[in-house]
Amino acid sequence: MGVTDSNPEFTVRQARADDEEAVVSFTRNTWGDRHGDYIPEVFGHWVETDGPDQRTFVVDVNDGADVAGVAQGVMLSDTEGWAQGMRVNPDYRGQGLSPSLSEAMFRWTRERGAAVCRNMVFSWNVAGLGQSRAVGFEPATEFRWAQPDPDPDAAPDLDVTADPAAAWAWWGSSDARTHLRGLAMDANESWAVSEFRREQLREAADDDRLFVANDGGTRGFSYRSYDYERETEEGDAETWGIYGVGAWETTDAARAVLRAVARDAGEQGYDNTRVLIPEGAGPVSDVAAARMSVSDEPDFVMSADLTDPDVV
């Protein structure tokens, strides 16, 4: 069940429900004043829902006297693994715990058929980026969030349809697909990216979640992927709509796509939106030209080639 590292002072194993108090204690202030960490809110659910396609790991130190690290591996498809939530108690950093957690996730996902394992790291998290590179992750892509305000009355300037065939054909040769390495928000795992598939467009069209901008031909698209509810610092509930990718050729197309998203979000009753867009001067300035908000910093996606025998 667990994976034992060669270091006799600590062991990587599958997490249990009684690990929650220890994990919450060292993840409560992971990022200091920058923003809160989600691990205290989800760890219990992670352990409860572990199964064939998901495994939560912790690190035991001093013969099980303390839990000093946590991470989770998830199978997003038959060939794609995802690594998330890696945290190490500050009291134990620099002792090889992070590499052992990564190696455990690599082995677990590889055993289930994964050819690649990816993770996501905040661009400002230099330590996390360095650690990812050290254990075998390589840079894959970077993205940012466009954040149009929900508005049921938003009116796209261009014709917007729900044609999945047109969207897929355009995506296949788009700069956005090349930049994003064909990745978009995963449909089932929150805050994970996976290979974007044609059937996702068909399903979105069937559910009125696809928005394709036309201007003498297809010029871009977006689609609603999922939504979630969270509690604000004031204790109020707010709902976020997540749009799997937003991509376009021109500023006019960007404005049309994002207005379609804003209208959809307003009709769904969302309080906020996030639309994954490629990082770069073009896409970011297009959002700004459309007079819509964009996140302050990009996020980085890293990828480990599990077919490489040098990746543990």
Side-chain angles (χ1 to χ4, degrees), residues 150-234:
D151 180 1
D153 298 320
D157 297 332
L158 304 180
D159 182 35
V160 174
T161 68
D163 186 341
W168 184 252
W170 180 86
W171 170 254
S173 59
S174 68
D175 291 342
R177 183 189 183 281
T178 300
H179 178 92
L180 292 170
R181 304 286 186 91
L183 302 174
M185 294 301 293
D186 188 76
N188 299 307
E189 182 65 29
S190 299
W191 307 116
V193 298
S194 58
E195 294 177 9
F196 187 45
R197 300 179 304 280
R198 186 172 189 169
E199 55 264 31
Q200 290 174 261
L201 287 171
R202 294 191 185 116
E203 292 168 359
D206 289 343
D207 296 336
D208 296 324
R209 297 183 286 110
L210 177 62
F211 321 105
V212 185
N214 294 275
D215 187 15
T218 303
R219 296 292 178 260
F221 73 94
S222 187
Y223 68 98
R224 176 168 23 99
S225 184
Y226 62 88
D227 56 48
Y228 73 95
E229 187 174 286
R230 56 166 288 183
E231 187 175 292
T232 67
E233 294 181 357
E234 293 75 25

Side-chain angles (χ1 to χ4, degrees), residues 15-273:
R16 302 186 299 258
D18 59 7
D19 296 320
E20 184 167 10
E21 182 177 354
V23 170
V24 168
S25 70
F26 68 77
T27 59
R28 185 176 290 113
N29 296 306
T30 301
W31 313 121
D33 295 334
R34 193 170 188 114
H35 60 70
D37 195 343
Y38 69 97
I39 302 298
E41 298 176 8
V42 302
F43 180 80
H45 178 71
W46 277 3
V47 173
E48 182 180 348
T49 57
D50 272 351
D53 295 328
Q54 176 184 297
R55 176 65 59 87
T56 307
F57 298 90
V58 296
V59 182
D60 272 341
V61 293
N62 300 325
D63 294 325
D66 199 2
V67 174
V70 62
Q72 187 182 73
V74 181
M75 290 297 295
L76 300 181
S77 71
D78 290 342
T79 59
E80 298 172 272
W82 183 255
Q84 61 188 4
M86 182 177 291
R87 308 286 189 269
V88 172
N89 187 325
D91 294 339
Y92 293 95
R93 287 176 184 165
Q95 299 184 29
L97 274 65
S98 289
S100 294
L101 278 167
S102 295
E103 291 163 8
M105 287 188 291
F106 288 164
R107 287 192 289 265
W108 182 82
T109 53
R110 180 185 278 138
E111 288 169 359
R112 280 148 186 81
V116 63
C117 185
R118 302 186 185 94
N119 73 353
M120 188 187 303
V121 185
F122 295 124
S123 58
W124 49 262
N125 185 4
V126 176
L129 291 167
Q131 185 59 52
S132 290
R133 293 300 299 274
V135 300
F137 286 100
E138 297 292 335
T141 188
E142 58 280 324
F143 67 89
R144 204 177 283 229
W145 300 111
Q147 299 172 312
D149 291 332
D151 180 1
D153 298 320
D157 297 332
L158 304 180
D159 182 35
V160 174
T161 68
D163 186 341
W168 184 252
W170 180 86
W171 170 254
S173 59
S174 68
D175 291 342
R177 183 189 183 281
T178 300
H179 178 92
L180 292 170
R181 304 286 186 91
L183 302 174
M185 294 301 293
D186 188 76
N188 299 307
E189 182 65 29
S190 299
W191 307 116
V193 298
S194 58
E195 294 177 9
F196 187 45
R197 300 179 304 280
R198 186 172 189 169
E199 55 264 31
Q200 290 174 261
L201 287 171
R202 294 191 185 116
E203 292 168 359
D206 289 343
D207 296 336
D208 296 324
R209 297 183 286 110
L210 177 62
F211 321 105
V212 185
N214 294 275
D215 187 15
T218 303
R219 296 292 178 260
F221 73 94
S222 187
Y223 68 98
R224 176 168 23 99
S225 184
Y226 62 88
D227 56 48
Y228 73 95
E229 187 174 286
R230 56 166 288 183
E231 187 175 292
T232 67
E233 294 181 357
E234 293 75 25
D236 300 321
E238 61 180 7
T239 304
W240 289 74
I242 306 302
Y243 293 77
V245 68
W248 48 74
E249 291 180 4
T250 65
T251 300
D252 287 343
R255 185 178 296 108
V257 167
L258 294 174
R259 284 182 177 176
V261 167
R263 180 171 62 190
D264 178 71
E267 291 172 349
Q268 297 300 314
Y270 297 152
D271 298 300
N272 302 283
T273 67

